[in-house]
Amino acid sequence: QVQLVESGGGQVQTGASLRLSCAASGRTFSTYIMGWFRQAPGKEREFVAGISRSGGDTDYTDSVKGRFTISRDNAKNTVYLEMNSLKTEDTAVYYCAASGSLYSIGRASNFYGYWGQGAQVTVSS
């Protein structure tokens, strides 16, 4: 029973950086595993990054590893995705997601029960 709202998207050139934010409602934010997904035109939604409840464990898809960083601030009920060295292939709608799982970070979309509305990220050459 959380509501998620993304912000921070926009249009940038290759090599630039952006930070996405996802604000969550409720005081139980720290009990959720959080993730970021993205969906490019004509493609399936794919896992980008995930973070454990305390922030002590993270997971990234290979294409963003070393460039993107997921973090969370439980006192602010917010999860972040710092994106560096952006490429045109990073262009997509980015979604924040929350899972009530008792286990480790999942990569499948059905692992997450709550979703934000999405934020557009466009990277131009």
Side-chain angles (χ1 to χ4, degrees), residues 59-75:
D59 188 32
Y60 300 91
T61 192
D62 286 346
S63 63
V64 309
K65 195 169 297 182
R67 298 190 297 122
F68 290 12
T69 302
I70 187 171
S71 62
R72 68 192 296 163
D73 186 339
N74 288 344

Side-chain angles (χ1 to χ4, degrees), residues 89-109:
E89 49 262 49
D90 295 318
T91 295
V93 176
Y94 283 71
Y95 297 91
C96 176
S99 173
S101 175
L102 299 176
Y103 305 102
S104 57
I105 299 165
R107 291 187 170 192
S109 60

Side-chain angles (χ1 to χ4, degrees), residues 37-46 88-95 120-121:
F37 288 73
R38 67 187 180 186
Q39 187 166 23
K43 294 188 175 183
E44 295 289 308
R45 187 171 300 185
E46 66 170 342
T88 55
E89 49 262 49
D90 295 318
T91 295
V93 176
Y94 283 71
Y95 297 91
Q120 178 69 50
V121 173

Side-chain angles (χ1 to χ4, degrees), residues 6-91:
E6 300 97 335
S7 62
Q11 182 171 274
V12 298
Q13 293 184 316
T14 55
S17 297
L18 278 176
R19 188 176 77 161
L20 301 180
S21 298
C22 174
S25 66
R27 67 174 186 173
T28 59
F29 176 72
S30 63
T31 70
Y32 291 95
I33 294 170
M34 301 298 296
W36 287 96
F37 288 73
R38 67 187 180 186
Q39 187 166 23
K43 294 188 175 183
E44 295 289 308
R45 187 171 300 185
E46 66 170 342
F47 174 82
V48 177
I51 189 166
S52 62
R53 296 171 185 82
S54 67
D57 188 37
T58 58
D59 188 32
Y60 300 91
T61 192
D62 286 346
S63 63
V64 309
K65 195 169 297 182
R67 298 190 297 122
F68 290 12
T69 302
I70 187 171
S71 62
R72 68 192 296 163
D73 186 339
N74 288 344
K76 295 182 177 179
N77 278 17
T78 303
V79 63
Y80 305 94
L81 185 68
E82 179 72 33
M83 303 181 291
N84 299 315
S85 301
L86 283 162
K87 307 173 180 180
T88 55
E89 49 262 49
D90 295 318
T91 295

